[in-house]
Amino acid sequence: MNEAAQLMQRLDRLGEFTAEPGKLTRLFLTPEHRAALEQVRTWMEQAGLATHVDGLATLVGRYESDPPGAPALLVGSHIDTVRDAGRYDGNLGVLAAIQTVARLHGEGRRLPFAIEILAFGDEEGVRFPTTLSGSRAVAGVFDPATLDLADADGIRLGDALRAFGCDPSRTGEIARTGGRAHGYVELHIEQGPVLQDAGLPVGVVTAINGATRFLIEVRGRAGHAGTVPMGLRRDALCAASEMVLAIERQARGTPDLVATVGMLSALPGAGNVIPGRVTFSLDIRSPDDRERETAISAITSVLGEIARRRHLDVRLERTYDEPAIEAHAGMRRLLGEAVAASGYRVLELPSGAGHDAMAIGAVMPMGMLFLRCRDGISHNPLESITEEDAGIAVNVLTRFLTQFDPTSTRPAG
Ligand code: HGY
Ligand code: MN
Ligand code: MN
């Protein structure tokens, strides 16, 4: 079987590790995360990588340098998913990297730097109200206070890590700063339509949008659906509905800014009870951090005004914040050279989606390579790539790695 066919078969296999048969849902530190991690570990070891799982449940595969012990080039992505996900978001970057090392291993080839493949488990941030814990630890900026954040069942992140067999107290050992790594590169599906529209299989990322996440709570008063006149209600769901539309209006009015309310729960959740409490998520992104903060201030005051007018309380908790980040100019140049040497026009494009690369890019040279996906669909089971494009991704990544010169991540000129 050729490499591309094997990669597609493995992506299908990995798509079977799910909490919901018939859908792909694989959240951080769940049994399905453990099963997928063990399957990826097997593929890593078959490709000649020495593996371990770090204190934040990142599966690490190291392909030693020649001579041994040299700093590594980090190549990674994530194996957790959103709910009812596609099977390529994250997983492609990890499995294609393994294919690349398997090729080197098969040729008995070692490079003057090590390669460390990182399979992160917390990029989507669906289970806990934060994200990028693994990649932040690699960057040496993991905040231990994060361990106290709890999931919807009240399980704290720290307890979930220990139950998974990890020791989160040793995050200091995870950091790849201080010369331990030359840089980080991530292959990822584009999750947008630009490459398909341009008729190109791959593109080089220029920057990743900054993002902020909030948990918002609206408190009114629960009451009998049949006895409380409309004018005397403090209906938390009606207030939250007005707030959601106000957020949409703000985002529509701000160029390049996007805002999403993806989760909402109305309590106590009975058809004959006026909702007394509503919690909902808010995800705001922009290529411009100042614009994002300005929008956040505007939204915060509008929600306060709606709450006051309706005699309710509203509370916003900022649970995640990651600034926009530029890809390293030297990495962009090297990735562009690998794309051109593979016979394709070099198209550079920004990433609206967040990635582990944004956490690591803050402390070392970071580059990203995008692969075309059909109609730009992602975070959706219809997400798809072609076997041919999968093969192109492995070829370009292999060319990049074998041509990578640690001294050359300095920008051109
Ligand atoms: O939300 C994102 O941008 C990424 O898929 N976690
Ligand atoms: Mn992703
Ligand atoms: Mn995603």
Side-chain angles (χ1 to χ4, degrees):
M1 178 188 310
N2 72 39
E3 253 172 9
Q6 186 186 52
L7 176 52
M8 296 301 279
Q9 191 186 63
R10 287 181 170 182
L11 285 161
D12 289 344
R13 174 73 184 114
L14 209 50
E16 294 166 10
F17 297 106
T18 178
E20 301 177 77
K23 292 180 181 176
L24 175 50
T25 300
R26 185 163 65 235
L27 307 189
F28 190 31
L29 304 176
T30 57
E32 44 281 359
H33 174 200
R34 168 58 71 182
L37 183 153
E38 292 307 330
Q39 172 63 78
V40 175
R41 187 204 296 255
T42 300
W43 289 329
M44 280 185 173
E45 290 171 357
Q46 287 168 352
L49 293 136
T51 66
H52 73 275
V53 179
D54 75 18
L56 268 294
T58 299
L59 170 63
V60 182
R62 182 177 171 99
Y63 188 67
E64 199 46 75
S65 53
D66 179 15
L73 178 62
L74 309 180
V75 190
S77 198
H78 60 95
I79 58 172
D80 63 323
T81 75
V82 294
R83 296 188 192 285
D84 198 8
R87 63 187 65 179
Y88 305 100
D89 176 358
N91 301 296
L92 169 74
V94 174
L95 298 195
I98 294 172
Q99 297 286 76
T100 295
V101 170
R103 193 187 293 185
L104 298 177
H105 184 55
E107 295 163 359
R109 197 166 164 195
R110 297 275 168 181
L111 302 172
F113 51 88
I115 293 174
E116 287 192 3
I117 299 179
L118 306 174
F120 296 111
D122 177 35
E123 191 280 337
E124 297 295 0
V126 173
R127 179 177 175 187
F128 296 96
T130 185
T131 185
L132 305 186
S133 56
S135 37
R136 283 178 165 174
V138 167
V141 296
F142 175 74
D143 176 1
T146 312
L147 298 171
D148 292 326
L149 288 175
D151 68 7
D153 299 324
I155 299 172
R156 292 170 58 259
L157 173 56
D159 297 333
L161 280 163
R162 278 180 284 275
F164 199 74
C166 298
D167 176 2
S169 68
R170 301 171 56 184
T171 50
E173 299 166 21
I174 297 173
R176 299 302 199 287
T177 44
R180 287 183 61 192
H182 293 300
Y184 175 83
V185 70
E186 180 165 357
L187 165 69
H188 200 288
I189 52 170
E190 179 201 339
Q191 301 176 298
V194 172
L195 290 174
Q196 177 175 279
D197 289 354
L200 290 169
V202 288
V204 177
V205 172
T206 54
I208 304 171
N209 284 0
T212 304
R213 291 185 188 180
F214 287 95
L215 274 184
I216 297 173
E217 181 186 43
V218 181
R219 279 190 179 279
R221 185 168 60 210
H224 195 299
T227 60
V228 183
M230 294 309 286
L232 297 180
R233 294 183 175 202
R234 292 167 60 203
D235 185 326
L237 184 53
C238 289
S241 307
E242 188 178 348
M243 291 175 182
V244 170
L245 293 178
I247 289 166
E248 183 192 39
R249 220 173 9 258
Q250 177 72 38
R252 282 182 183 278
T254 313
D256 298 331
L257 184 119
V258 288
T260 311
V261 174
M263 293 186 290
L264 183 143
S265 77
L267 299 172
N272 59 353
V273 180
I274 301 165
R277 181 168 169 263
V278 166
T279 56
F280 62 90
S281 65
L282 174 56
D283 175 313
I284 300 184
R285 309 193 194 192
S286 167
D288 180 321
D289 291 341
R290 259 196 332 279
E291 179 184 83
R292 179 163 49 94
E293 286 303 334
T294 304
I296 288 170
S297 308
I299 285 169
T300 303
S301 59
V302 164
L303 299 194
E305 186 273 324
I306 292 169
R308 272 188 304 283
R309 178 163 37 80
R310 287 172 169 267
H311 310 298
L312 292 97
D313 297 314
V314 65
R315 191 172 63 83
L316 291 82
E317 182 192 355
R318 192 185 290 233
T319 61
Y320 167 76
D321 212 83
E322 200 67 42
I325 187 162
E326 302 271 326
H328 187 273
M331 283 291 203
R332 276 169 61 177
R333 178 167 50 81
L334 291 171
L335 284 166
E337 286 169 4
V339 169
S342 304
Y344 301 101
R345 174 167 68 88
V346 179
L347 183 145
E348 293 201 307
L349 68 168
S351 174
H355 304 284
D356 288 297
M358 57 204 297
I360 301 176
V363 298
M364 66 178 77
M366 171 276 283
M368 282 197 78
L369 182 69
F370 270 171
L371 184 70
R372 166 171 57 187
C373 60
R374 189 163 55 84
D375 299 335
I377 295 171
S378 184
H379 286 191
N380 178 319
L382 295 176
E383 183 181 283
S384 78
I385 64 171
T386 64
E387 181 177 312
E388 186 193 0
D389 280 2
I392 292 169
V394 175
N395 287 336
V396 173
L397 193 58
T398 304
R399 198 183 289 270
F400 168 80
L401 287 180
T402 49
Q403 287 169 354
F404 181 74
D405 166 2
T407 62
S408 66
T409 48
R410 280 191 292 275

